[in-house]
């Protein structure tokens, strides 16, 4: 098991005690506080599915509000060495006699979660030391089915596949000590582990010195489950609420299921070479502990506190803020000094003198000349607007706690539903800009806006799904869900795009502050740094510098199955990214206009959009340096899903840069006198 160096550091920001906040903000804060107190006076409310559940033992059960049976659910199994998750049922583990599957939302299905009931049964406050899960699993040497089942379990142990169990909508964690005396709580635990042929203990085999036999697998066939609860006796509510669920996996070789001993003994060995019958007996123990120091509302804290790395998050924010301050200083200098002087000089000189001048005013007759491939640019901008609004609302709701890890699949569900409902802004922006570019093929424009980028994403997604189907993975989207996604796309998103485009085409074209000349002006010879490609390549560096640390945590949550919960940091980085993309594009746009190159439409989009190329390069670096993924299918899946992320990020950042530059160019040419 890889050891993590986890360091916790609490940072308390100190606000200046000078004349901040100003009186108007003090009044606003006072109003907010009064409103909060007013809301506080009402009874508390909980998000759907996240309300606390009370448990009572059988002797003191009071009414229907108190449950005695505690249900343990099992989720898919996944691995950091493979992109392919598998359902619990695919492995030959003990299964529930009456299998129950709670309803899953769209986000859970898309992420490949497959939750089902388990055979691990127990009642509140009724512990036991050793209990059989199901009858003995025997694998006979000459039976092909048995060989295949055992080989699949071995594959799971070799690739370090992890169980994910759930009690009361809370992950059952395996907490163990790591370096520096820190404790790490993993929301999963392995099937087993392998001691290689050279005697090297892999993954979880390092935890026990008894795991030392070469070329041997050790199955974790016993778990000690410990449940902590907060009693309501002292607080006026009935029963108890579960506040922590931990376990410790063990490997114990049971000889007889009627005479179980879970206190130790030899580990459960499975030789790598199948040279004899193998019998595995699965057992479990449960203990309960009252702990009134942990509140139900903060029961996830012990998991989140053990995760990395709050101090690195603050470093990321500070790093991004330095870049923003640098760019803001540059833009302010251009706006307040250089540009102000340019406008004053251009407005004072006569037309004859102006002809001898050089600079951005000289291209006023060409700066709003419609771009080549205006249709494609308008389609990209429409889709980018849709993605931008979707991302902003999703992150804002996540900051408010509506999309917390406890609300499984909510983040993805929210994003998909918002994307579907935001077809109208996409159609409107695309149509309005296409009309401004002088385009007349409005039907083609609307169809491309509704179908081009979503079609590319869906085609990629469908190809990845075919691979998952072929591999029998739980991440394969069921056919019914694919039909539902197509219905959302063609039944809601496409019609809304048409509605937006209708209003966009009805509006007049955006009025430009200066007229466009009939004959295009010749662009003078450009230096290396004002040529298109160097400018575009340089433009993406600073925005990427703001996000690359946060990107590491996001990729960890996707591919290394770590929990992501720092949406406050992410929202702040999102705002910083907006500012950085805008300012970097405006700076480069100004330099190119000063060099009398007026082809800024596509360049403004590609300058900030090139951040997506750096994102792809970082994803390749992450794959080779951080992940241990093996197998062709997993590699194709990794890069297939990465391409979807890169395309979405390209449209998002490109749209930000374009509209920032569009506003800047309109602003500077509207304040200069042109005869």
């Amino acid at each position: 098991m890889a050891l993590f160096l986890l360091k916790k550091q609490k940072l308390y920001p100190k606000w200046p005690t000078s004349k901040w906040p100003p009186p108007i903000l003090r009044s606003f804060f006072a109003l907010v506080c009064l409103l909060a107190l007013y809301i506080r006076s009402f009874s508390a409310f909980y998000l759907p599915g996240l309300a606390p559940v009370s448990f009572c033992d059988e002797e003191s059960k009071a009414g229907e509000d108190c449950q005695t049976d505690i249900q343990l659910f099992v989720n898919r199994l996944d691995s950091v060495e493979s992109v392919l998750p598998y359902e619990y049922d695919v492995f030959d583990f003990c299964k529930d006699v009456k299998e129950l599957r709670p309803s899953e939302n769209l986000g859970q299905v898309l992420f490949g979660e497959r939750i089902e009931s388990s055979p691990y049964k127990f009642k509140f406050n009724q512990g036991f030391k050793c209990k059989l899960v199901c009858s003995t699993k025997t694998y006979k040497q000459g039976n092909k089915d048995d060989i295949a089942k055992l080989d699949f379990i071995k594959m799971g142990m070799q690739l370090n596949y992890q169980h994910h169990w759930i009690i009361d909508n809370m992950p059952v964690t395996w907490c163990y000590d790591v370096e520096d005396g820190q404790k790490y709580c993993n929301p999963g635990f392995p099937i087993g582990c392998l001691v290689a042929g050279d005697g090297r203990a892999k993954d979880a085999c390092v935890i026990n010195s008894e795991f030392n036999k070469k070329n041997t697998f050790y199955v974790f066939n016993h778990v000690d489950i410990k449940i902590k609860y907060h009693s309501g006796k002292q607080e006026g509510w009935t029963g108890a609420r579960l506040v922590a669920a931990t376990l410790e996996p063990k490997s114990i070789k049971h000889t007889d299921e009627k005479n179980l001993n879970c206190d130790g003994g030899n580990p459960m060995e499975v030789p790598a070479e199948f040279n004899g019958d193998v019998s595995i007996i699965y057992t479990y123990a449960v203990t309960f502990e009252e702990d009134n120091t942990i509140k139900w509302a903060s029961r996830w804290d012990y998991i989140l506190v053990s995760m990395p790395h709050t101090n690195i998050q603050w470093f990321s924010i500070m790093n991004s803020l330095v870049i923003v301050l640098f760019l803001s200083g540059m833009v302010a200098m251009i706006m307040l000094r250089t540009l102000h002087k340019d406008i004053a000089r251009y407005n004072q000189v006569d037309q004859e003198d102006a002809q001898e001048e050089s600079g951005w005013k000289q291209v006023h007759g060409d700066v709003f000349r419609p771009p080549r491939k205006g249709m494609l640019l308008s389609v990209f901008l429409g889709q980018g607007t849709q993605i931008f609004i979707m991302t902003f609302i999703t992150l804002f709701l996540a900051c408010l706690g509506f999309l917390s890890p406890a609300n499984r699949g909510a983040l993805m569900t929210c994003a998909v539903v918002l994307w579907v409902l935001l077809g109208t802004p996409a159609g409107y922006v695309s149509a309005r800009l296409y009309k401004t570019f002088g385009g007349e093929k409005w039907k083609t424009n609307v169809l491309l806006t509704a179908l081009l980028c979503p079609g590319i994403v869906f085609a990629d997604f469908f190809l990845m799904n075919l691979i998952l189907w072929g591999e029998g993975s739980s991440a394969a989207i069921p056919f019914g869900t694919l039909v539902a996604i197509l219905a959302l796309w063609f039944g809601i998103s496409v019609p809304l795009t048409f509605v937006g485009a209708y209003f966009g085409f009805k509006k007049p074209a955006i009025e430009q502050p200066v007229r466009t000349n009939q004959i295009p002006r010749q662009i003078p010879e450009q230096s290396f740094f004002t040529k298109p490609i160097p400018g575009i390549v340089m433009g993406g560096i600073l925005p990427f510098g703001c996000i690359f640390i946060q990107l590491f945590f996001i990729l960890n949550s996707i591919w290394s199955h770590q929990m992501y919960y720092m949406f406050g940091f992410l929202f702040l980085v999102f705002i910083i990214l907006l500012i950085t993309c805008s300012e970097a594009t405006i700076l480069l746009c100004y330099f190119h206009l000063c060099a009398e190159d007026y082809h800024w439409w596509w360049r403004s989009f590609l300058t900030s959009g090139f951040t997506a190329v750096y994102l792809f390069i970082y994803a390749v670096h992450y794959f080779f340096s951080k992940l241990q993924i093996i197998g062709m299918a997993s590699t194709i899946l990794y890069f297939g899903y990465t391409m979807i992320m890169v395309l979405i990020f390209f449209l998002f950042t490109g749209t930000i840069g374009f509209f920032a530059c569009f506003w800047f160019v309109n602003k500077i040419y509207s304040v200069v006198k042109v005869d």
Side-chain angles (χ1 to χ4, degrees), residues 2 32 161 226 234 269 467 538 603:
V32 169
Y161 269 83
K226 183 178 183 180
Q234 308 296 326
E269 298 174 356
I467 295 172
M538 287 189 296
R603 187 179 291 165

Side-chain angles (χ1 to χ4, degrees), residues 155 172-173 223 242 372 375 420 491 541:
M155 181 276 296
V172 183
T173 58
V223 287
L242 308 187
R372 296 172 187 168
M375 169 82 80
V420 167
I541 293 174

Side-chain angles (χ1 to χ4, degrees), residues 457-467 469 479 482 644:
V457 170
F458 185 81
D460 188 326
F461 188 74
F462 185 72
L463 287 173
M464 298 303 104
N465 208 48
L466 287 177
I467 295 172
W469 269 335
F479 181 74
L482 281 177
I644 293 176

Side-chain angles (χ1 to χ4, degrees), residues 538-549:
M538 287 189 296
I541 293 174
L542 289 175
F544 178 75
C546 291
I547 64 164
F548 80 96
I549 294 177

Side-chain angles (χ1 to χ4, degrees), residues 169-479:
N169 199 36
M170 183 174 53
V172 183
T173 58
W174 176 32
C175 297
Y176 51 88
D177 294 327
V178 290
E179 294 179 18
D180 252 12
Q182 305 290 330
K183 181 168 278 192
Y184 177 68
C185 289
N186 185 3
F189 68 96
I191 299 172
C193 60
L194 168 67
V195 175
D198 58 1
R200 182 169 48 91
K202 292 183 64 180
D203 303 317
C205 277
V206 298
I207 64 174
N208 193 334
S209 59
E210 292 184 9
F211 299 163
N212 52 25
K213 202 170 188 180
K214 293 181 180 179
N215 212 25
T216 302
F217 292 95
Y218 292 90
V219 182
F220 291 139
N221 60 329
H222 175 84
V223 287
D224 286 331
I225 302 171
K226 183 178 183 180
I227 296 175
K228 292 183 180 181
Y229 62 89
H230 185 112
S231 177
K233 289 178 182 176
Q234 308 296 326
E235 300 180 23
W237 44 270
T238 308
R241 293 171 182 171
L242 308 187
V243 291
T246 58
L247 59 72
E248 184 182 353
K250 293 180 178 179
S251 180
I252 301 173
K253 185 174 180 63
H254 300 289
T255 53
D256 183 8
E257 64 179 49
K258 294 180 181 177
N259 186 24
L260 298 171
N261 179 18
C262 299
D263 292 331
N266 295 324
M268 180 64 228
E269 298 174 356
V270 177
E273 298 295 329
F274 199 169
N275 48 20
D277 293 355
V278 175
S279 295
I280 303 175
I281 299 174
Y282 291 92
T283 55
Y284 65 115
V286 179
T287 56
F288 289 86
E289 181 185 322
E290 184 175 335
D291 188 346
N292 294 333
T293 60
I294 305 173
K295 301 290 184 185
W296 184 88
S298 57
R299 63 182 187 158
W300 284 67
D301 288 3
Y302 82 98
I303 306 172
L304 305 180
V305 164
S306 76
M307 289 189 170
H309 301 277
T310 307
N311 51 341
I312 293 181
Q313 293 284 352
W314 280 110
F315 170 75
S316 165
I317 298 297
M318 296 307 297
N319 165 65
S320 304
L321 285 174
V322 167
I323 294 174
V324 167
L325 288 172
F326 166 73
L327 278 175
S328 300
M330 292 282 286
V331 171
M333 187 178 71
I334 286 174
M335 290 289 194
L336 298 177
R337 297 188 60 190
T338 314
L339 202 56
H340 182 70
K341 287 179 182 177
D342 284 350
I343 291 167
R345 188 173 77 250
Y346 289 149
N347 286 342
Q348 285 171 5
V349 298
D350 353 47
Q351 185 68 19
E352 195 174 323
D353 297 333
Q355 294 299 327
E356 299 170 8
E357 292 283 348
S358 61
W360 55 267
K361 187 188 175 184
Q362 303 312 302
V363 295
H364 67 82
D366 297 274
V367 74
F368 291 107
R369 191 175 300 283
R372 296 172 187 168
K373 307 290 182 186
M375 169 82 80
L376 187 61
L377 180 59
S378 63
V379 168
F380 281 173
L381 291 168
Q383 282 295 323
T385 305
Q386 188 175 8
I387 292 165
F388 167 72
I389 301 171
M390 174 198 78
T391 309
F392 179 82
I393 296 174
T394 303
L395 288 180
F396 184 72
L397 290 175
C399 283
L400 296 178
F402 287 95
L403 309 177
S404 71
N407 202 355
R408 299 173 187 278
L411 187 74
M412 190 67 175
T413 305
C414 178
V416 171
V417 170
L418 282 171
W419 180 84
V420 167
L421 297 177
L422 288 167
T424 304
Y428 179 85
V429 169
S430 178
R432 189 89 193 274
L433 286 170
Y434 183 61
K435 190 172 183 180
T436 303
F437 296 157
E440 295 176 354
K441 298 177 181 177
W442 63 271
K443 292 178 184 175
T444 309
N445 175 262
V446 179
L447 286 171
L448 284 176
T449 305
L451 303 176
L452 179 63
C453 297
I456 293 170
V457 170
F458 185 81
D460 188 326
F461 188 74
F462 185 72
L463 287 173
M464 298 303 104
N465 208 48
L466 287 177
I467 295 172
L468 291 168
W469 269 335
E471 295 289 333
S473 170
S474 73
I477 308 302
F479 181 74

